[in-house]
C-alpha cells in the first residue's frame, strides 16, 4: 500500500481478529483490485485513499471501524499517518461494506513505492516533489504564502488582497479561505516561487472547489515569471458551477485552452492534472484527458501555485462578487504531486 494512500499498517492489528477466509486481492470501494497479496511482496493500492491503522481502515469518504472484531461501516472521514511495518495477514478486502483481514501470512507494506497515476502508468516517471499536507502548518521549505508578485494584491481589483492568515494546513488539507470585510475581500495563495521550480513533468493536484459565488476565482497554475509563459491547470469562475478552464499562455498573447463541463464541479474533490513535455501540453481531469496541444510549449522552469482570488481587475472575464456571493468560502487542496522522468 503506497504512502500516497497514507498507509499505516501496524503489528497491533493482527491481535484483534480471528482468522477469516483469505481473499485473493486488495479490493477498493470502486471495484478495482490490485495484484494478489504475496508473502513479503509490497502491496500497492491502484486507486483510492484507504489506510490501515490500529483499529480502522479509512478512506477520504468513509471510515471502516474494525474495533470489536467485526467490520462495520461508519460515516465520517479520517486519515492515518504514513509509515511502514509488517503485519500478519493474507489479504485485505476493502469494499463499501466490509474489511476482511486474515492473519495467516506475512506481507510487507512499503510506503515508498507509489503507484503511478493512470495517465503515466507503465512509464519511467518518478515522484520528485510533493506535499500531502499531513502537518499542522504550511511547510515553509516548500511554500510561501505571499506569492510571486511582491505585494498583497493579485487579482488587480483594488478591493481584494491576500492575507497570510487565510492559508492553513490541518486534517490533511491545505485550505485557502476568502472573507468579506466591509466592501473589501481578502483571500490567499501558496506558491513555490522562492522554493522550487520545475521544467516538464506530470503534475497532479487533488482539490475541492468553493461553493458557487460570483466573483470567486480559484486557480492551480505554473508561471514562468513573465506575462508570456503560464500553465493554468485549473481556473474556475464562481458564477458557473458547470465549467472549469484549462489553458496555457505563450508567446505574444497567444493561448490554447479547453473548458470541460460537468453538472457541478463544486460537489466533490477532483484531480486536476497536466503532463508537460518538451513538445506537448496535455491536460486531464480525474485521469481523463481533456485536451492536448503542441504549439508554443513553454521550455523554461516554472513555479507552482494555487490561489483563491475574488474579483478580476485585469479584465471583465473573472467578474465581481454580488449580493449572492457567500461572505466566506474555502478552497481545499488535498495534495500536490510532481512526477518527472527518471
Amino acid at each position: 500500500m503506497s504512502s500516497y494512500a497514507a498507509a499505516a499498517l501496524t503489528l497491533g492489528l493482527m491481535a484483534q481478529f480471528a482468522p477469516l477466509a483469505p481473499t485473493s486481492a486488495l479490493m477498493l470501494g470502486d471495484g478495482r483490485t490490485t495484484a494478489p497479496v504475496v508473502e513479503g511482496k509490497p502491496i500497492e493500492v491502484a486507486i483510492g485513499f484507504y489506510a490501515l491503522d490500529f483499529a480502522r481502515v479509512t478512506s477520504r469518504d468513509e471510515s471502516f471501524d474494525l474495533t470489536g472484531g467485526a467490520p462495520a461501516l461508519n460515516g465520517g472521514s479520517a486519515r492515518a499517518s504514513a509509515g511502514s511495518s509488517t503485519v500478519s495477514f493474507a489479504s485485505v478486502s476493502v469494499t463499501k461494506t466490509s474489511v476482511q483481514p486474515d492473519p495467516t501470512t506475512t506481507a510487507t507494506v512499503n510506503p515508498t513505492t507509489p503507484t503511478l497515476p493512470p495517465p503515466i502508468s507503465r512509464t519511467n516517471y518518478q515522484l520528485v516533489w510533493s506535499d500531502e499536507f499531513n502537518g499542522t502548518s504550511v511547510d515553509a521549505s516548500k511554500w510561501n504564502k505571499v506569492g510571486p508578485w511582491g505585494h498583497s494584491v493579485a487579482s488587480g481589483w483594488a478591493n481584494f488582497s491576500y492575507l497570510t492568515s487565510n492559508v492553513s494546513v490541518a486534517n490533511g488539507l491545505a485550505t485557502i479561505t476568502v472573507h468579506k470585510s466591509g466592501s473589501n475581500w481578502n483571500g490567499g495563495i501558496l506558491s513555490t516561487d522562492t522554493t522550487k521550480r520545475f521544467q516538464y513533468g506530470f503534475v497532479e493536484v487533488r482539490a475541492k472547489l468553493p461553493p458557487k459565488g460570483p466573483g470567486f476565482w480559484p486557480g492551480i497554475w505554473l508561471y514562468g515569471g513573465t506575462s508570456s509563459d503560464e500553465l493554468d491547470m485549473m481556473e474556475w469562475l464562481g458564477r458557473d458551477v458547470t465549467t472549469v478552464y484549462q489553458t496555457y499562455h505563450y508567446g505574444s498573447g497567444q493561448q490554447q485552452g479547453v473548458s470541460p463541463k460537468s453538472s457541478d464541479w463544486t460537489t466533490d474533490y477532483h484531480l486536476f492534472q497536466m503532463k508537460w513535455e518538451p513538445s506537448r501540453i496535455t491536460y486531464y481531469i480525474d485521469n481523463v484527458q481533456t485536451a492536448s496541444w503542441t504549439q508554443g510549449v513553454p521550455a523554461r522552469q516554472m513555479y507552482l501555485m494555487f490561489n483563491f482570488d475574488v474579483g478580476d481587475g485585469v479584465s471583465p472575464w473573472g467578474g465581481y462578487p454580488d449580493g449572492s456571493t457567500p461572505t466566506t468560502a474555502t478552497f481545499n487542496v488535498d495534495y500536490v504531486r510532481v512526477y518527472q522522468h527518471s
Side-chain angles (χ1 to χ4, degrees):
M1 184 177 290
S2 74
S3 62
Y4 306 101
L9 283 168
T10 73
L11 289 170
L13 184 65
M14 67 180 184
Q16 300 183 37
F17 305 98
L20 299 175
T23 57
S24 61
L26 179 66
M27 179 175 291
L28 302 179
D30 62 0
R32 299 194 185 193
T33 62
T34 67
V37 175
V38 177
E39 181 175 351
K41 180 179 180 180
I43 303 169
E44 294 185 359
V45 176
I47 189 171
F49 297 90
Y50 297 95
L52 285 171
D53 65 16
F54 283 102
R56 63 192 172 197
V57 173
T58 66
S59 76
R60 186 70 59 219
D61 300 313
E62 293 88 28
S63 175
F64 297 86
D65 186 1
L66 301 185
T67 58
L73 178 63
N74 294 338
S77 176
R79 286 177 69 103
S81 60
S84 175
S85 61
T86 299
V87 63
S88 295
F89 65 94
S91 60
V92 177
S93 174
V94 179
T95 69
K96 293 296 182 183
T97 58
S98 67
V99 180
Q100 298 178 336
D102 177 34
T104 58
T105 63
T106 298
T108 300
V109 178
N110 184 356
T112 64
T113 310
T115 300
L116 292 174
I120 55 171
S121 64
R122 297 182 296 277
T123 70
N124 66 344
Y125 277 86
Q126 293 184 347
L127 186 72
V128 297
W129 190 91
S130 67
D131 198 336
E132 305 295 317
F133 302 112
N134 288 329
T136 57
S137 62
V138 172
D139 185 344
S141 70
K142 296 181 178 181
W143 306 96
N144 70 68
K145 297 189 287 185
V146 177
W149 296 284
H151 54 80
S152 60
V153 176
S155 70
W157 183 37
N159 293 76
F160 175 80
S161 62
Y162 286 150
L163 293 180
T164 58
S165 58
N166 285 345
V167 184
S168 61
V169 170
N171 302 315
L173 298 172
T175 298
I176 300 179
T177 304
V178 298
H179 296 286
K180 183 181 181 183
S181 177
S183 60
N184 296 319
W185 292 80
N186 51 74
I189 185 171
L190 281 178
S191 170
T192 72
D193 68 300
T194 57
T195 61
K196 185 68 175 180
R197 295 179 183 239
F198 307 94
Q199 184 178 19
Y200 309 129
F202 183 84
V203 183
E204 178 176 270
V205 180
R206 185 175 188 264
K208 188 176 189 300
L209 298 176
K212 182 177 182 179
F216 285 170
W217 187 13
I220 302 168
W221 46 313
L222 284 84
Y223 191 51
T226 72
S227 60
S228 56
D229 295 340
E230 179 180 321
L231 301 172
D232 297 324
M233 295 173 56
M234 186 283 299
E235 290 181 279
W236 176 73
L237 305 179
R239 62 176 178 263
D240 178 11
V241 299
T242 68
T243 307
V244 294
Y245 301 90
Q246 294 178 299
T247 314
Y248 75 96
H249 304 265
Y250 62 95
S252 302
Q254 297 171 283
Q255 68 179 49
Q256 302 288 338
V258 64
S259 306
K261 297 286 186 178
S262 172
S263 59
D264 188 345
W265 286 110
T266 71
T267 58
D268 204 352
Y269 281 84
H270 293 282
L271 294 173
F272 299 102
Q273 303 155 307
M274 177 190 69
K275 184 161 64 173
W276 175 20
E277 302 170 284
S279 59
R280 184 178 295 272
I281 293 288
T282 306
Y283 284 127
Y284 307 81
I285 296 179
D286 296 330
N287 297 311
V288 177
Q289 180 177 316
T290 55
S292 187
W293 302 279
T294 58
Q295 307 98 307
V297 177
R300 72 164 75 200
Q301 289 188 336
M302 294 184 168
Y303 43 83
L304 172 66
M305 54 187 161
F306 52 92
N307 57 314
F308 190 1
D309 288 13
V310 181
D312 180 1
V314 179
S315 70
W317 181 70
Y320 295 91
D322 60 24
S324 69
T325 305
T327 57
T328 186
T330 58
F331 175 38
N332 292 320
V333 177
D334 180 31
Y335 63 74
V336 180
R337 299 172 188 163
V338 179
Y339 303 80
Q340 291 179 331
H341 284 292
S342 58

